[in-house]
């Protein structure tokens, strides 16, 4: 009887010791306007740990960005999905997405201001190690994350998934501080081979610590299960690719572990 009680007690302790992922919306200000981000974290963490900033696709801050924040929190990171468009501005049509994207990215000053505001929210979170920050971007968000790295953002790592690699302001030698990991689809018409080649030449000339992985057969937005429905509705060259999605997620984890704990 005592042995059975001990087993039950141990089981209860094990259950309560498991990570509890907490989430909440955070409304913050950029130039006097409201922006709504999404925070996800493991409330059992007691030591300083890395933080991850997520920059969303051109559709806006939606459930997909929030899902990725929760997945990162389950890995032991505090994750904050920022908002590049402003509270309530989420697109469901390419024309609306394009308009919102242009408003957020046509002026580099506006882009940097909105990016930095989101980064500041992450840095303010308890337990987040300011020296261990990574930025993860999807599609438009990947391009923004990469451009912030080009501009010398003080972060440890930048990871882009099917993001634009082109730029009108190439990185200068020695200016990129972040390690960079790029995942791109070999059949992505928005990121053609010439753009990929130019990106690699730019990174080498800048002396950047970077890696790039192409996925044969993968199209744009290959990590998002909603890509197929968008493709069907609007005739866009998008497609979810389960194999590329899962492989890139695993490769990202390895990249982040090496970045934050290089001796392990």
């Amino acid at each position: 009887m005592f042995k059975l009680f001990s087993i039950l007690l141990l089981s209860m302790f094990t259950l309560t010791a498991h990570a509890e992922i907490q989430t909440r919306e955070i409304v913050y200000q950029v130039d006097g306007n409201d922006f709504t981000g999404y925070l996800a974290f493991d409330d059992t963490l007691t030591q300083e740990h890395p933080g991850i900033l997520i920059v969303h696709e051109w559709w806006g801050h939606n459930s997909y960005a929030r899902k990725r924040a929760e997945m990162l929190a389950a890995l032991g990171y505090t994750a904050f999905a920022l908002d590049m468009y402003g509270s309530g501005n989420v697109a469901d049509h390419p024309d609306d997405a394009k308009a919102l994207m242009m408003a957020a990215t046509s002026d580099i000053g506006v882009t940097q201001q909105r990016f930095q505001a989101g980064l500041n929210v992450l840095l303010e979170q308890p337990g987040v190690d300011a020296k261990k920050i990574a930025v993860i971007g999807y599609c438009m968000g990947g391009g923004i994350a990469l451009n912030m790295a080009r501009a010398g953002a003080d972060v440890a790592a930048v990871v882009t998934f099917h993001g634009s690699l082109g730029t009108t302001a190439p990185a200068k030698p020695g200016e990129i501080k972040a390690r960079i990991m790029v995942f791109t689809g070999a059949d992505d018409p928005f990121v053609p081979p010439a753009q990929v080649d130019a990106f690699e030449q730019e990174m080498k000339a800048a002396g950047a610590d970077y890696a790039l992985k192409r996925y044969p057969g993968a199209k744009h937005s290959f990590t998002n299960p909603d890509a197929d429905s968008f493709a069907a509705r609007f005739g866009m060259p998008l497609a979810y690719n389960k194999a590329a999605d899962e492989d890139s997620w695993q490769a990202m984890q390895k990249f982040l572990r090496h970045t934050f704990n290089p001796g392990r």
Side-chain angles (χ1 to χ4, degrees), residues 13 39 46 52 87 201:
F13 174 78
L39 183 73
T46 58
I52 311 290
S87 298
Q201 292 173 12

Side-chain angles (χ1 to χ4, degrees), residues 83-210:
D83 177 6
M84 288 298 296
Y85 292 165
S87 298
N89 290 325
V90 179
D92 194 41
H93 190 283
D95 291 345
D96 297 328
K98 183 177 180 180
L100 289 168
M101 179 185 72
M102 293 304 295
T105 63
S106 59
D107 184 329
I108 187 61
V110 171
T111 305
Q112 290 177 328
Q113 184 182 28
R114 295 184 183 187
F115 174 87
Q116 188 62 48
L119 179 58
N120 290 343
V121 172
L122 175 64
L123 292 171
E124 292 167 359
Q125 301 311 308
V128 170
D129 187 342
K131 295 181 180 179
K132 293 184 177 182
I133 301 295
V135 182
I136 293 175
Y138 294 88
C139 299
M140 177 198 78
I144 290 173
L146 189 56
N147 283 333
M148 295 304 101
R150 286 180 169 115
D154 190 14
V155 297
V158 165
V159 183
T160 80
F161 297 86
H162 40 83
S164 173
L165 304 180
T167 182
T168 57
K172 297 178 181 179
E175 287 198 351
I176 296 180
K177 300 175 184 178
R179 298 183 73 225
I180 295 173
M181 181 75 233
V182 169
F183 300 104
T184 191
D187 290 355
D188 184 345
F190 297 116
V191 190
Q195 188 180 116
V196 177
D197 292 342
F199 165 76
E200 294 212 76
Q201 292 173 12
E202 176 198 359
M203 292 296 105
K204 291 173 182 176
D209 181 352
Y210 85 100

Side-chain angles (χ1 to χ4, degrees), residues 186-247:
D187 290 355
D188 184 345
F190 297 116
V191 190
Q195 188 180 116
V196 177
D197 292 342
F199 165 76
E200 294 212 76
Q201 292 173 12
E202 176 198 359
M203 292 296 105
K204 291 173 182 176
D209 181 352
Y210 85 100
L212 181 144
K213 187 167 185 177
R214 291 184 176 95
Y215 290 101
K219 296 182 179 180
H220 196 67
S221 203
F222 61 78
T223 67
N224 191 341
D226 293 331
D228 293 338
S229 64
F230 282 121
R233 288 167 58 195
F234 304 116
M236 301 177 70
L238 316 175
Y240 177 62
N241 187 308
K242 187 173 186 292
D245 176 23
E246 293 178 352
D247 183 86

